[in-house]
Amino acid sequence: MKTIDPSSYQNIVFFTGAGMSAESGVPTYRGKGGIWRQYDYEEYACQSAFERNPEKVLNFHDLRRRAVLDCHPHEGHQVIARMPSATVITQNIDGMHQRAGSRNVIELHGSLWRLRCDHCGTRKEDIGREYETLHCSCGRWLRPDITWFGDMLDESVTIRAMKLIASSDLFISIGTSGTVWPAAGYPALACDSGAFCIEINPEPSGATSFDLVIRNSASVALPELFRMK
Ligand code: NAD
């Protein structure tokens, strides 16, 4: 298999989706075992559900947080974390890259480990097994700082991500079906900008024409691709 020497590249971007965390045990979005086959997102993951019943929505996210804490980063996450100057742009909200040691992580869809108050604008890290508090100091309910169905993405985050992708010279897309926009357009942006583009996904994603496609899982493909000394 082709190997990549990261020292030959100046700006490396890893772009990850739910498949990156699948081997850690975090369910993907679609497909077998996908969480939205089990739960109705209109009851648990949209602003109107939160406005109807904030406690029910927060309890659901509390369960997701506990399930994620029982999962652990795999060898693929560790390989990425061993490249501290690389940027990780992730659609995942599970914080698994940071737990593996990656520091340069852009979370496109927010984080399970942060809460915010849409009334006064407070944002608060909350990393335990259970939420420390469900209320803001202003008295309102805090909501998970993640992108729910129907939410807009934070524009400052997407602009930053797109700038980094456009200036990358190595772009590795891992475990994303390429169906959630605008993230689905990022591989094409990287390829059009001249980066060497790699896809790691056991299934065809139907995304852009990559320079190298590896039909294998993240935990196997990443250590093989970056045989680091
Ligand atoms: P998706 O569920 O639509 O697609 C997952 C992709 O990963 C598929 O193409 C699948 O073939 C691939 N895959 C499965 N196992 C893999 C493995 N071991 N190695 C590599 N690839 C593998 O995921 P998406 O494209 O990220 O879009 C889903 C949306 O749901 C995102 O917006 C994300 O925010 C959210 N989400 C996040 C998490 C998480 O935080 N872990 C989990 C589920 C959903």
Side-chain angles (χ1 to χ4, degrees), residues 42-43 45-54 57 148-149 151:
E42 290 181 337
E43 289 289 314
C46 62
Q47 183 62 26
S48 54
F50 182 68
E51 280 161 18
R52 272 195 313 273
N53 192 341
V57 169
W148 281 332
F149 292 88
D151 285 351

Side-chain angles (χ1 to χ4, degrees), residues 16-23 26-31 35-36 64 68 74 90-95 109 112 147 174-180 183 199-205 216-219:
T16 64
M20 181 73 210
S21 296
E23 288 161 286
V26 184
T28 56
Y29 187 31
R30 294 167 185 81
I35 46 168
W36 304 121
R64 286 194 71 190
V68 166
H74 56 67
T90 188
Q91 298 169 80
N92 297 341
I93 56 173
D94 56 26
H109 298 159
L112 270 174
T147 309
I174 309 158
T176 173
S177 60
T179 43
V180 177
E199 176 179 56
I200 297 174
N201 193 324
E203 305 288 334
S205 68
N216 210 335
S217 70
S219 76

Side-chain angles (χ1 to χ4, degrees), residues 29 34 38 66 68 72 94 110 113 158 169 198 200 203 207 227:
Y29 187 31
Q38 227 181 314
R66 269 179 264 163
V68 166
H72 300 283
D94 56 26
W113 312 106
T158 52
D169 52 1
I198 303 174
I200 297 174
E203 305 288 334
R227 248 181 240 139

